[in-house]
Amino acid sequence: MKYRFLRDNLTIALVLFSLFACHRKRVLREKEIVKDVRQLSEVIPENIAERLEYIVDNEDVMEDSVPALRGGALTYFYQQTSNNPVWSSEGVLDPQADSLLFYVSHADESGLNPAIYHNAALAQAMKRLKEDDAARKDAALWAQVDVLMTDAFMKMASHLRFGIAPRDSITLRRDSVYSDTLLANYLTTALHQHIVGATLRSQEPQQKGYEQLKSAWINFKGKYSEMKWDSLPVSYTDTPAFRQQLINRLAQSGHLDTSGGHGADTAILKKGIRAFQKEFNMYEDGQAGKKTVQALNKTFRDWSAQVAVNMDRWRKLPDTLPERFIMVNVPGYRMELWDSGSVALTSKIIVGAPRTRTPLLNSRMTNFIMYPYWRVPFSITIKEMLPAIKRDRAYLAKKSLEIIDRDGNAINPDSVNWSRMSKNYFPYVLRQMDGLENSLGIMKFNFMNKYAVYLHDTNNRGLFSNAYRALSHGCVRVQQWDSLAMYLTKGDARHPRDSMRMWLANGNKKQIDIQRSVPIYLRYFTAEGRDGRIVFHEDIYGEDKVLRKIMGM
């Protein structure tokens, strides 16, 4: 019995030792100094091979503790070079390395984090090579630099092309990853033709919206990246002490000039608050309310991350968009109709409230209806209208609602036993009759989607003057609905403009089929570039927070 106990424990110990030995991290040579730089070509390949094995053993984490794009991609590339270095020769760095290092150190201008492209390790290595004669003869250091640069190129090319966040349901790119072979070919060609920088630039989205955002971000970075500012208390009252903190904060970011000693003056303080609110696209009331204080407390890193997630969203669009398309920016409360590379029509919009979000989707607009009925969604019927009807039967007439049975017939409300109606039993549909009081207004624009949402006019047009317009049940209300309808039928002989105007004036109920269906994209951009400056939008659905977590921003 004692022998069996000892034998079993010995077996367990051997298994544990074996597992430990298999997963033990490979120890890399810290340095290997050669007598003459011409000997580097003989020794560097061994050091590169050692590093490739280390990456495999270390589950793709590299020696600077930063994960590689794919260890397999690195191994494949260096198999083509017999583990010879590609970024240096006999102790001299290839000029293309400077292009890569510039792109890495300025990765944030493309919405990427320089740290994940080995910026710190490469900067430290460059410093050693510049200042230390012995370092230039260190085969281990040159091998480290070579493998780090190769991974930086591959990773950056992939991220610039496809983004960091994974492919989602509205991604329009057909591919979402570069193969090892393609990455190796890209790098080989870039080095041989001396076009490393140009190759990386070509991976970025070519869309005008992306280019405008990037340009505006570089301007913003130039203005604010070196600034430091204090945080304001989250819970506060309007006391002299808080006002002084507010004055100091606005002065630190250049929104309030205190050089004349008038910063505490109420009118001057309001002017400073309005200047901040205007720059950050907020309601300009001159008051330090909750949202304004939250924005004042954002750090430069917060603004940087907001831009980064929006650049990543652009990378989910295709290289080329159609000649004519509609872009709906949900948090921007803005619709744009693009034609031949420029914006032909813009409109304020109202979108879904956070509890009833407007979905993000891709579709094609096929037709629009003048003076439409509104078939009330079941959720609205049960949650909002049924309780109101039970309290007051006159609610149906006030809202111009008809009750439609399963056969499509309108029935008398008095024939319904309303006390029996509930979410578990409601064999009818509520339909709001057409007219000026209809919730859809005069026009409804249809496009295929599984959410039963559409663009439409509204009978409550005063809401377009609100700064916060996440107010609907999910559909998108369009202020310039008439201009949109006219543009969609421009050049269509079947629907002359005069006839359209007459039909509208007479209240004719008509379905207008669009001659060429128009692609429509419902998207979520909380940062845009406009006239060289960034326009920030509120993260109304919390989508930025989710994406920041995924991207590690």
Side-chain angles (χ1 to χ4, degrees):
M1 195 74 178
K2 183 177 179 181
Y3 170 75
R4 181 182 296 175
F5 174 79
L6 290 171
R7 184 190 63 189
D8 291 346
N9 279 275
L10 180 59
T11 301
I12 292 170
L14 288 170
V15 169
L16 290 173
F17 177 80
S18 175
L19 289 171
F20 175 77
C22 289
H23 291 84
R24 185 172 54 190
K25 292 181 181 178
R26 185 180 297 271
V27 178
L28 293 171
R29 280 174 276 187
E30 291 186 8
K31 64 173 62 176
E32 185 169 356
I33 309 295
V34 297
K35 290 182 178 181
D36 190 302
V37 291
R38 287 174 294 185
Q39 296 174 305
L40 287 171
S41 60
E42 301 173 11
V43 187
I44 290 177
E46 298 174 12
N47 282 270
I48 287 178
E50 187 177 89
R51 276 160 173 79
L52 296 174
E53 291 171 1
Y54 172 90
I55 293 166
V56 172
D57 290 349
N58 207 28
E59 297 180 340
D60 279 1
V61 176
M62 301 183 72
E63 58 189 292
D64 63 343
S65 301
V66 175
L69 175 69
R70 290 191 305 275
L74 291 171
T75 300
Y76 176 81
F77 174 77
Y78 282 105
Q79 282 174 349
Q80 316 308 307
T81 72
S82 300
N83 291 338
N84 284 306
V86 295
W87 296 96
S88 67
S89 177
E90 295 187 351
V92 178
L93 205 61
D94 189 293
Q96 288 303 298
D98 290 332
S99 297
L100 177 69
L101 291 169
F102 179 86
Y103 234 96
V104 167
S105 61
H106 290 77
D108 60 322
E109 294 178 0
S110 300
L112 304 174
N113 182 0
I116 65 177
Y117 308 104
H118 315 290
N119 186 51
L122 286 171
Q124 184 180 18
M126 292 304 106
K127 186 173 185 295
R128 288 179 60 195
L129 291 170
K130 182 179 180 180
E131 299 175 356
D132 185 356
D133 290 336
R136 288 192 284 273
K137 298 179 181 180
D138 186 351
L141 179 59
W142 283 114
Q144 178 195 45
V145 167
D146 215 83
V147 178
L148 290 177
M149 283 190 171
T150 297
D151 181 66
F153 177 91
M154 290 181 168
K155 193 185 296 181
M156 185 165 281
S158 297
H159 290 167
L160 288 171
R161 175 72 171 176
F162 304 112
I164 296 176
R167 183 184 184 91
D168 57 27
S169 61
I170 59 170
T171 298
L172 286 170
R173 288 193 181 279
R174 294 181 180 179
D175 49 358
S176 58
V177 66
Y178 277 141
S179 67
D180 296 350
T181 303
L182 194 53
L183 283 173
N185 291 341
Y186 267 142
L187 180 51
T188 300
T189 301
L191 287 168
H192 286 174
Q193 297 184 9
H194 312 293
I195 53 170
V196 165
T199 301
L200 290 173
R201 279 193 297 276
S202 70
Q203 303 304 311
E204 295 194 65
Q206 306 303 307
Q207 310 295 354
K208 191 171 182 179
Y210 175 88
E211 292 171 351
Q212 290 174 331
L213 177 58
K214 181 177 181 179
S215 176
W217 165 238
I218 291 172
N219 293 339
F220 186 93
K221 176 189 172 186
K223 180 178 180 181
Y224 287 110
S225 62
E226 300 301 321
M227 284 188 184
K228 304 293 180 185
W229 50 78
D230 299 327
S231 294
L232 297 169
V234 178
S235 299
Y236 60 90
T237 53
D238 189 11
T239 62
F242 174 72
R243 289 168 66 84
Q244 188 58 55
Q245 288 177 300
L246 186 57
I247 290 165
N248 294 342
R249 166 63 186 85
L250 290 167
Q252 287 166 343
S253 58
H255 293 95
L256 182 61
D257 183 5
T258 58
S259 59
H262 303 295
D265 181 82
T266 300
I268 298 297
L269 181 56
K270 282 191 172 183
K271 185 178 179 181
I273 296 171
R274 285 197 186 98
F276 177 85
Q277 291 169 331
K278 181 178 182 179
E279 180 167 5
F280 289 90
N281 195 33
M282 306 182 74
Y283 180 57
E284 298 173 41
D285 61 358
Q287 302 294 321
K290 181 180 178 181
K291 288 184 178 180
T292 297
V293 169
Q294 287 175 344
L296 284 163
N297 281 343
K298 282 190 174 184
T299 63
F300 177 78
R301 185 172 179 271
D302 290 326
W303 297 118
S304 175
Q306 186 166 344
V307 171
V309 298
N310 283 280
M311 284 186 166
D312 208 78
R313 289 174 177 134
W314 276 106
R315 295 183 176 108
K316 302 302 185 285
L317 286 164
D319 290 333
T320 304
L321 287 169
E323 181 180 9
R324 188 169 68 155
F325 65 92
I326 294 170
M327 180 70 76
V328 174
N329 183 9
V330 174
Y333 308 131
R334 180 182 173 96
M335 181 209 75
E336 294 179 341
L337 191 154
W338 285 73
D339 197 342
S340 304
S342 61
V343 177
L345 173 66
T346 65
S347 177
K348 288 183 177 181
I349 59 173
I350 293 168
V351 300
R355 289 190 301 174
T356 53
R357 299 180 179 189
T358 294
L360 307 181
L361 54 84
N362 310 306
S363 187
R364 300 186 72 88
M365 188 173 288
T366 54
N367 65 70
F368 57 88
I369 298 173
M370 296 178 177
Y371 295 95
Y373 289 121
W374 179 37
R375 184 186 176 94
V376 183
F378 183 77
S379 60
I380 299 175
T381 296
I382 298 302
K383 293 178 182 178
E384 299 179 25
M385 293 187 171
L386 184 57
I389 295 168
K390 287 183 176 181
R391 288 192 300 270
D392 181 8
R393 196 74 50 80
Y395 177 86
L396 290 164
K398 290 177 185 176
K399 296 294 183 180
S400 301
L401 291 168
E402 292 181 311
I403 303 164
I404 309 299
D405 65 14
R406 291 171 177 169
D407 297 322
N409 301 314
I411 64 172
N412 189 329
D414 294 330
S415 67
V416 178
N417 184 351
W418 292 102
S419 63
R420 289 187 59 203
M421 299 298 106
S422 69
K423 67 177 181 180
N424 298 319
Y425 179 73
F426 192 83
Y428 307 106
V429 170
L430 295 183
R431 186 177 72 184
Q432 193 171 47
M433 291 178 281
D434 64 293
L436 294 177
E437 296 305 313
N438 186 293
S439 296
L440 303 185
I442 293 174
M443 198 84 73
K444 173 190 174 187
F445 300 87
N446 291 315
F447 47 91
M448 292 294 294
N449 66 91
K450 65 181 180 181
Y451 307 99
V453 299
Y454 32 81
L455 272 58
H456 64 87
D457 176 28
T458 177
N459 62 349
N460 195 353
R461 295 171 184 161
L463 293 177
F464 286 110
S465 63
N466 289 8
Y468 182 85
R469 297 199 295 276
L471 304 167
S472 81
H473 288 95
C475 288
V476 178
R477 307 174 195 173
V478 181
Q479 186 178 42
Q480 302 297 331
W481 56 271
D482 51 346
S483 298
L484 177 59
M486 293 301 173
Y487 201 94
L488 292 174
T489 54
K490 186 173 68 170
D492 187 349
R494 301 171 306 165
H495 308 113
R497 182 160 295 193
D498 290 343
S499 298
M500 295 270 291
R501 292 293 184 198
M502 182 184 67
W503 295 333
L504 287 170
N506 294 339
N508 296 131
K509 184 179 177 67
K510 277 185 171 291
Q511 176 174 313
I512 308 296
D513 293 324
I514 301 171
Q515 194 169 30
R516 290 182 298 127
S517 62
V518 181
I520 179 170
Y521 309 112
L522 273 61
R523 287 298 188 271
Y524 196 93
F525 292 112
T526 60
E528 300 177 279
R530 207 174 294 161
D531 300 322
R533 59 181 288 267
I534 293 185
V535 180
F536 289 104
H537 304 298
E538 184 180 354
D539 183 16
I540 54 176
Y541 298 162
E543 292 290 327
D544 281 6
K545 292 180 181 177
V546 174
L547 197 51
R548 280 186 66 171
K549 188 174 182 180
I550 291 172
M551 294 174 61
M553 301 298 293

